[in-house]
Amino acid sequence: MSYDLLIVGSGPGGYVAAIRAAQLGFKVGLIEQYPVPGGTCLNVGCIPSKALLESSGAYESAAKAGSMGVLVEGLQADWPAMVARKDQVVAQNHKGLAYLFKKNQIDWIQGKAKLLGPGQLEVSGQGILAAKHLLLATGSKPASLPFAPPDGQNILTSTEALSLAELPKSLLVIGGGVIGLELGQVFHRLGTEVTVIELTDGLLPEMDRELGKELLRCLKKQKLGFKLGHRLEALKLQAGGVVAQGQDPKGNPFELSAEKALVAVGRKPYTSGLGLEEAGVLLDQRGFIQVDPQFQTNLPGVYAFGDVIGGAMLAHKASEEGVWLVEQLANQTPHRSTIPAVVYSHPEVAAVGLSEEQLKAQGIAYSVGKFNFRALGRAMAAGAADGFAKLLTDEASGKLLGIHLIGERVTDLIATAALALDQGLKAEELGRLCYAHPSFSEALKEAALDAWNHQSIHQ
Ligand code: FAD
């Protein structure tokens, strides 16, 4: 069987590209080493972590319900039930994807793929398959520390943390990045004593610095423990758990013990067994596949996208890249849209465009508009007064340059912000839109009015 397109990897990069390619009339084969589709995102990433965040969030809301006039007695966190629900959510999505593959006549090919050269792959159990275009979307795996290899029992990666049999009494989270903070919050809400050990002196260093500062303030208020500026040098197993050792910001030794440790120090490209070296595909120093702006590798007709090429490790980035690529292959004129960054902590964090630090570094003159959630009627009604909307605009033209949000539901709100930025709108245009009242979206309007002429209504 010869295909127009063979796609390796059924994560949000590969499967979305497969569906779009099939819609455009390509004959598509989707190759996946595991028996189920969805990649990191569906199986051990976005969806299971959000299912657990929702369950732990429901528990937390019930625990605080007294302040809302709701009396709850006998409240308990049933962790095994939460894990079982999470597994059900994932399984439902597997069924949904199988339906979509059938509907779009995509060939599901299970096996491990190895690149033989342009147009040819060998797939375990399937033999050699040929296609005009080969698309590699093999994603990423958790990175580990050389001195702290995960054992799956006490030193965990995010994958094991999502399916623990029991709630740990205490947890060290190594790394204050997105994954560590999200999972740390799940366990903290359910009663685990969580301490985050982070090398740098703040959270979310790649985002506008004000977001990380506000998130740190909120998480400390929730009583999550932080050891910022701490250099971890050893993580060892000991009776009853783990012990972490290293240096504090002053260079003094520190030692912390806990039942378990979650190593969340980033992710590395997953190219093992893919035959890239033998086929002569160029990788960068960190092992990511090198591509040109059209996602083409140095081999003709061989493309790569998603986590395996680096950049933001986000599911929607992988999907957007895949769609852009197959539309390009179908001779369409795809639009390269702005990729929002999101963190599903509580409060949530979301951003598009340039940060204040980036504008300063690029010497761009800008104005700032800001609006605090505590001045929003809806936020007060919801008991969710933390956070703000911050807009950065070009000083001369008023055109939006960056939108940075922290607060309730901002991972949904960011879609409006991304559209505004994508369409090159000015703060005035965003500010003059009518927003439903009372809604969290009003923070965006008010911040836009502030950025336009410093005349927000409620501040
Ligand atoms: P992947 O999803 O990693 O899929 C790659 C697939 O390729 C895998 O199924 C793999 O088995 C397969 N494969 C690899 N090599 C071969 C081979 N040789 N042959 C056959 N198959 C192969 N992102 C968000 O945007 N939002 C979130 O809320 C979010 N939460 C996350 C939470 C956690 C705990 C983690 C770990 C990640 C999270 N992410 C989130 C990141 C997101 O999961 C990734 O960015 C996304 O899955 C990348 O998609 P991908 O298609 O590039 O690769």
Side-chain angles (χ1 to χ4, degrees):
M1 162 82 74
S2 182
Y3 292 91
D4 297 319
L5 249 75
L6 276 170
I7 302 176
V8 185
S10 70
Y15 91 73
V16 170
I19 293 173
R20 185 69 190 121
Q23 287 172 342
L24 293 168
F26 287 117
K27 176 71 195 145
V28 184
L30 181 60
I31 306 166
E32 170 59 54
Q33 63 183 340
Y34 296 129
V36 287
T40 303
C41 173
L42 173 53
N43 295 291
V44 290
C46 326
I47 302 298
S49 61
K50 261 80 268 174
L52 291 178
L53 273 164
E54 292 295 342
S55 286
S56 61
Y59 173 78
E60 188 182 53
S61 299
K64 288 184 187 161
S67 65
M68 295 272 192
V70 180
L71 298 182
V72 180
E73 277 181 26
L75 182 66
Q76 272 189 356
D78 184 347
W79 172 251
M82 291 183 187
V83 174
R85 174 185 171 272
K86 179 257 312 175
D87 292 340
Q88 259 174 18
V89 171
V90 172
Q92 262 170 356
N93 277 276
H94 287 152
K95 283 190 193 148
L97 286 181
Y99 160 78
L100 289 174
F101 298 159
K102 199 169 169 201
K103 176 183 160 195
N104 288 287
Q105 297 177 334
I106 294 164
D107 277 0
W108 168 257
I109 303 165
Q110 202 204 320
K112 180 138 178 120
K114 184 175 174 204
L115 182 65
L116 298 178
Q120 276 203 336
L121 287 166
E122 186 178 356
V123 181
S124 57
Q126 313 278 349
I128 294 176
L129 300 178
K132 190 169 174 208
H133 306 290
L134 301 180
L135 276 59
L136 310 176
T138 54
S140 61
K141 288 275 180 208
S144 57
L145 295 166
F147 52 82
D151 68 350
Q153 295 291 318
N154 291 79
I155 301 181
L156 313 169
T157 70
S158 55
T159 301
E160 297 88 44
L162 290 166
S163 293
L164 282 179
E166 287 173 17
L167 281 174
K169 288 196 176 46
S170 52
L171 178 73
L172 297 177
V173 175
I174 314 300
V178 176
I179 293 174
L181 292 178
E182 286 185 22
L183 292 179
Q185 202 152 25
V186 166
F187 291 107
H188 171 71
R189 281 168 165 173
L190 300 175
T192 300
E193 189 192 321
V194 174
T195 307
V196 179
I197 302 176
E198 164 58 41
L199 180 63
T200 65
D201 62 356
L203 302 181
L204 311 178
E206 279 160 25
M207 299 180 92
D208 191 286
R209 293 298 282 181
E210 269 195 82
L211 293 176
K213 280 187 197 157
E214 176 68 358
L215 183 61
L216 182 62
R217 187 189 69 79
C218 295
L219 295 181
K220 278 186 172 171
K221 202 168 74 175
Q222 294 167 29
K223 304 273 185 267
L224 254 99
F226 285 94
K227 297 286 178 194
L228 298 180
H230 281 57
R231 174 179 292 279
L232 183 73
E233 291 168 342
L235 185 62
K236 297 179 198 153
L237 297 175
Q238 64 173 12
V242 292
V243 58
Q245 292 161 334
Q247 288 182 39
D248 74 8
K250 292 187 177 143
N252 297 320
F254 78 86
E255 186 169 297
L256 287 167
S257 298
E259 189 181 325
K260 294 191 191 294
L262 164 62
V263 179
V265 292
R267 296 183 60 84
K268 56 181 185 197
Y270 184 54
T271 54
S272 148
L274 195 54
L276 298 181
E277 287 82 0
E278 299 95 305
V281 175
L282 290 179
L283 307 179
D284 73 10
Q285 280 178 340
R286 294 189 298 153
F288 290 104
I289 300 179
Q290 282 192 30
V291 291
D292 69 11
Q294 276 70 46
F295 301 108
Q296 170 134 6
T297 68
N298 58 311
L299 295 191
V302 181
Y303 301 84
F305 59 99
D307 277 11
V308 79
I309 65 165
M313 298 251 181
L314 290 164
H316 48 277
K317 175 218 170 234
S319 302
E320 282 302 306
E321 289 177 349
V323 167
W324 190 94
L325 170 56
V326 297
E327 290 187 350
Q328 178 86 353
L329 294 175
N331 294 319
Q332 297 210 334
T333 42
H335 171 64
R336 209 157 227 173
S337 63
T338 319
I339 308 284
V342 286
V343 187
Y344 293 85
S345 47
H346 191 242
E348 294 181 345
V349 182
V352 274
L354 298 173
S355 66
E356 215 171 328
E357 291 72 28
Q358 287 170 323
L359 290 172
K360 277 184 191 147
Q362 293 176 29
I364 299 172
Y366 63 91
S367 304
V368 183
K370 210 168 161 191
F371 190 80
N372 291 312
F373 269 46
R374 66 172 168 271
L376 275 185
R378 180 63 187 276
M380 296 309 284
D386 285 325
F388 57 77
K390 172 176 170 181
L391 261 69
L392 302 171
T393 58
D394 180 76
E395 194 171 43
S397 67
K399 220 172 137 176
L400 293 166
L401 297 173
I403 300 160
H404 307 276
L405 309 173
I406 176 166
E408 195 83 359
R409 301 191 197 177
V410 298
T411 57
D412 289 314
L413 207 52
I414 200 67
T416 310
L419 179 67
L421 194 79
D422 207 60
Q423 296 301 306
L425 296 193
K426 295 179 178 178
E428 177 183 351
E429 291 165 307
L430 194 60
R432 283 190 189 276
L433 267 184
C434 179
Y435 295 67
H437 175 77
S439 69
F440 292 101
S441 66
E442 288 172 291
L444 208 50
K445 179 184 178 82
E446 296 271 11
L449 293 175
D450 190 42
W452 170 32
N453 58 14
H454 300 296
Q455 290 182 344
S456 64
I457 303 289
H458 291 91
Q459 181 168 264

